[in-house]
Amino acid sequence: MIDRTIQSTSYTLFDEMKEGIILVDNHGVICYFNKSAERMMQKQYHLQIDQHILSSIPTSGMMRVLHTKRKEEQKMFAISEKDYLLISRYPLKNKENQVIGALAVLQEAGQKREWADDDNIRMLLTLVLQKSAEAYVVVDELGHVIMQNSSYKELLSILKQQNGCELMIKNREEVFQTRRDAEITINTDASSLHIKSTPIIVNGILKGCLQIIHNETETVYLKNELEQTKSIIRGLEHSYQFIDFIYHSPFMKFAIEQAKLAAASKRVIFVRGEEGTGKFMLANAIHNGSENKFGLFKRINPKRDRQQLIKLLSKRFGNYKGTVYLENVTSLSMDEQSLLLEIIKDFGKVEQEYSLRLIVSSPIKLEKALIAGMFIEELYDELMKSNIYLPPLSERKEDIYPLAKHFLLELNKESGRWIGEIDLEARKVLEAYSYSTNILELKAILQLAVIRAQEESTVLTAEHLVPISIKTKKEQPMDLYFDTDEDNQTLSVLVEKYEKVIIEKTLSKLDGNKTLTAKTLGLSVRNLYYKLDKYDLN
């Protein structure tokens, strides 16, 4: 985001200019304009700070510049039937070449003067140097300081304490010798400074050096704090209890009772069920209901977590007192299955006391892999000794309605809606649907329905469930009402496609009125503009 302090520090400079100046941030929100811009635009448009540029000037090209990252110079812009302006637009980038905003320079057609002359550039350069949060110092070819900003002066004391001045000089000398950029980082327990030096070459002659000192002390501190916070969150985000399961069906009740008994034992547990039936959630609940609950819960996917898998199969878990959840056991090779079989046998020995608890799962039926010769029969027998079956939604239809109501409450919190009920027709639609990914798909369908519903809606109806069409006669899985092009697209891609369609249709229905569109869809105006830019709908 553009530093908002420029609004106060640049009044004197910018307000004296004949040219109009308009600054927007990387989302297109106006963060500054000078008096000349206000005067030039007031005949037709009203500029306002913190308002999106397209709300003030619907035909503005600033969003295009933010998107293309290319400057546009001396473009004609009509402000009435007879009058027009010459507008130059420039993307503003940070040192990582990321666009942080855009600048528009407005000239009256009669001025006939190039805005970017030496005087204006020099004034803007001085302003940027003095008001930048980063420290700058410019030295000549002899090493004498010819320009420095206030941020550099503030860092001098830190540099002196850490012998940083000597290191800066050495860094500078390296630039003079190589005529190339040079970087150095000065780290201590209390601070971290990153220095980048760039040669100043004019007509092939080395004239001096520009040094930029970035104080990364706070950044390093925040990164450490973030890592600690992430570690805490990782330990809390998968904290499920048996009470968290929502069910009325006898099949699900039997599975939960089995899991409670399993939590009290030390046997290896095999959790089986289709994708999206809650295997991970159940494994975590078993962990939290066991004596291992104060240890870590480690999730291992054989394809993604190879190092962790090798460590497990080689029995290098030592005195680990947590729970290891090994998912998708059918993706193990035959050799890896043999090693897992040995571990499970060890767990079954009375004299072998492991503090580790092991839970294994599979999204497909082991019988299929067994028949295909891709699974060891003895391992199958061992896993089936203590197995828990989680039924799909097609076998627990009485659970769909309470699950849907629960997910609606979560979606209400995220979207600010008040949909608390599901009418009878919508309930029939949800219960008749054949879910390929079970609970995952149910949540996705409800998310799309909430997006489609009007802001004032309090009851979910069948009309909100347009993305699914029920084939009751053949009981086939339903298709999304829009073309998905490919069958293997991810859920997030499908959600975005539907969101784009809804926004586009609503915008068209309301004759392009963005404020009303945002209100209708329950979005803020800024969020709507972000989505319009994201889906290329501007």
Side-chain angles (χ1 to χ4, degrees):
M1 297 290 289
I2 296 175
D3 188 352
R4 296 301 179 91
T5 58
I6 195 174
Q7 295 182 11
S8 60
T9 59
S10 60
Y11 281 160
T12 303
L13 172 64
F14 287 161
D15 285 343
E16 290 298 322
M17 297 174 62
K18 295 181 180 179
E19 294 85 355
I21 300 292
I22 300 176
L23 279 172
V24 299
D25 64 15
N26 58 336
H27 294 298
V29 177
I30 299 172
C31 54
Y32 175 75
F33 57 85
N34 66 356
K35 293 179 180 179
S36 295
E38 186 176 26
R39 174 180 54 80
M40 294 177 186
M41 287 293 182
Q42 67 181 358
K43 296 179 181 178
Q44 186 70 21
Y45 304 106
H46 176 65
L47 297 175
Q48 185 176 335
I49 300 295
D50 289 333
Q51 186 173 15
H52 199 280
I53 187 66
L54 295 180
S55 296
S56 298
I57 310 173
T59 57
S60 172
M62 295 287 264
M63 298 304 296
R64 180 174 61 252
V65 171
L66 288 173
H67 180 71
T68 63
K69 303 180 182 179
R70 297 177 181 176
K71 65 180 181 180
E72 300 177 354
E73 295 184 330
Q74 301 291 299
K75 300 294 184 181
M76 293 182 62
F77 183 83
I79 56 174
S80 67
E81 293 182 358
K82 297 180 179 181
D83 301 321
Y84 66 91
L85 300 174
L86 295 176
I87 298 184
S88 297
R89 306 180 184 94
Y90 305 91
L92 303 178
K93 304 178 182 178
N94 59 15
K95 62 181 181 181
E96 285 83 20
N97 202 34
Q98 297 172 330
V99 174
I100 60 173
L103 166 72
V105 182
L106 288 61
Q107 291 177 265
E108 293 175 341
Q111 284 184 258
K112 304 294 184 182
R113 183 168 72 86
E114 179 61 39
W115 176 79
D117 56 26
D118 292 341
D119 291 337
N120 282 329
I121 291 295
R122 189 177 297 109
M123 285 189 292
L124 284 176
L125 176 60
T126 301
L127 178 67
V128 169
L129 285 174
Q130 294 303 324
K131 300 305 177 183
S132 173
E134 289 187 319
Y136 291 86
V137 60
V138 180
V139 299
D140 61 19
E141 65 274 21
L142 300 178
H144 298 147
V145 176
I146 59 176
M147 183 184 292
Q148 61 184 4
N149 66 352
S150 57
S151 297
Y152 172 73
K153 295 177 183 178
E154 293 173 1
L155 286 179
L156 272 179
S157 59
I158 299 178
L159 288 167
K160 290 177 181 178
Q161 293 172 5
Q162 303 171 1
N163 295 323
C165 293
E166 295 178 6
L167 293 173
M168 277 188 66
I169 293 173
K170 289 182 180 180
N171 185 248
R172 192 184 301 161
E173 290 174 348
E174 182 182 346
V175 171
F176 289 155
Q177 292 172 3
T178 63
R179 298 166 67 98
R180 295 180 180 176
D181 290 353
E183 297 185 40
I184 187 174
T185 300
I186 305 173
N187 288 320
T188 67
D189 294 336
S191 62
S192 177
L193 301 177
H194 181 76
I195 302 173
K196 181 176 181 180
S197 301
T198 302
I200 301 174
I201 300 174
V202 181
N203 297 326
I205 301 174
L206 184 64
K207 291 292 186 179
C209 174
L210 167 66
Q211 289 189 300
I212 306 171
I213 304 95
H214 182 52
N215 189 351
E216 297 182 339
T217 304
E218 185 175 359
T219 303
V220 172
Y221 173 76
L222 290 175
K223 283 183 178 179
N224 293 334
E225 288 288 306
L226 180 60
E227 288 304 318
Q228 294 178 13
T229 304
K230 283 183 176 179
S231 178
I232 295 172
I233 292 174
R234 281 194 294 270
L236 296 175
E237 63 183 356
H238 299 314
S239 185
Y240 294 110
Q241 308 289 336
F242 292 119
I243 196 173
D244 295 326
F245 286 84
I246 299 171
Y247 59 90
H248 293 312
S249 65
F251 295 113
M252 197 63 191
K253 182 179 180 180
F254 179 68
I256 297 299
E257 292 301 321
Q258 276 187 301
K260 289 179 180 179
L261 292 173
S265 72
K266 291 187 176 181
R267 296 184 62 89
V268 176
I269 306 300
F270 176 49
V271 182
R272 57 195 182 98
E274 295 178 4
E275 181 183 359
T277 51
K279 296 183 295 296
F280 168 77
M281 184 176 174
L282 186 68
N284 189 250
I286 293 173
H287 164 74
N288 290 320
S290 71
E291 62 183 23
N292 294 58
K293 62 184 176 182
F294 297 111
L296 291 176
F297 180 81
K298 188 182 294 293
R299 182 179 189 176
I300 298 179
N301 183 296
K303 293 183 178 179
R304 294 195 302 265
D305 309 314
R306 296 299 300 173
Q307 292 183 349
Q308 295 294 331
L309 176 65
I310 294 171
K311 185 177 179 179
L312 171 68
L313 297 180
S314 59
K315 303 181 184 179
R316 289 189 283 116
F317 36 77
N319 295 323
Y320 183 75
K321 296 182 179 180
T323 299
V324 172
Y325 170 54
L326 177 62
E327 59 186 1
N328 200 5
V329 68
T330 51
S331 65
L332 295 177
S333 66
M334 299 298 279
D335 290 338
E336 291 169 343
Q337 290 177 32
S338 297
L339 294 174
L340 179 62
L341 177 59
E342 292 181 14
I343 293 174
I344 293 176
K345 286 182 176 180
D346 284 345
F347 270 87
K349 296 176 181 178
V350 178
E351 67 274 10
Q352 184 66 271
E353 289 292 333
Y354 285 120
S355 55
L356 170 75
R357 124 151 275 152
L358 180 63
I359 303 175
V360 182
S361 75
S362 173
I364 64 174
K365 293 182 178 179
L366 293 187
E367 290 80 4
K368 291 183 178 180
L370 193 65
I371 294 172
M374 301 297 290
F375 204 80
I376 298 176
E377 184 175 357
E378 190 176 358
L379 176 58
Y380 169 81
D381 292 337
E382 288 291 335
L383 290 175
M384 294 303 290
K385 287 179 181 179
S386 299
N387 79 89
I388 300 173
Y389 173 66
L390 286 179
L393 287 179
S394 59
E395 296 178 10
R396 46 182 293 214
K397 290 185 179 294
E398 58 265 59
D399 295 341
I400 293 176
Y401 177 66
L403 281 170
K405 291 200 68 175
H406 172 73
F407 293 143
L408 274 179
L409 291 176
E410 292 183 348
L411 292 169
N412 282 338
K413 293 178 182 178
E414 295 175 6
S415 60
R417 300 298 183 90
W418 300 94
I419 303 176
E421 295 296 331
I422 303 174
D423 72 10
L424 183 60
E425 288 300 316
R427 179 173 177 174
K428 289 180 180 179
V429 169
L430 290 172
E431 291 176 349
Y433 182 64
S434 300
Y435 298 90
S436 58
T437 56
N438 297 288
I439 294 174
L440 295 176
E441 194 168 4
L442 174 61
K443 291 177 71 173
I445 288 171
L446 292 171
Q447 184 178 5
L448 296 177
V450 170
I451 293 174
R452 181 175 175 79
Q454 297 293 326
E455 185 179 5
E456 63 274 9
S457 298
T458 58
V459 178
L460 191 75
T461 68
E463 294 179 356
H464 301 144
L465 299 172
V466 170
I468 58 175
S469 57
I470 308 302
K471 299 179 180 180
T472 53
K473 293 182 180 180
K474 297 183 179 181
E475 294 187 356
Q476 296 177 354
M478 280 148 287
D479 301 321
L480 294 174
Y481 84 105
F482 55 86
D483 184 17
T484 58
D485 297 329
E486 297 181 6
D487 294 332
N488 61 347
Q489 289 184 331
T490 63
L491 181 63
S492 61
V493 172
L494 296 176
V495 171
E496 287 187 352
K497 280 191 173 186
Y498 184 69
E499 186 176 55
K500 179 180 179 181
V501 170
I502 289 297
I503 293 174
E504 194 171 20
K505 287 190 174 183
T506 305
L507 195 63
S508 175
K509 181 180 179 181
L510 299 175
D511 297 325
N513 189 319
K514 297 181 180 62
T515 302
L516 188 56
T517 298
K519 184 177 180 181
T520 301
L521 296 177
L523 302 171
S524 66
V525 175
R526 177 173 292 190
N527 195 10
L528 175 63
Y529 276 111
Y530 166 77
K531 292 180 183 294
L532 292 176
D533 188 46
K534 176 182 177 181
Y535 299 130
D536 294 325
L537 295 176
N538 274 316

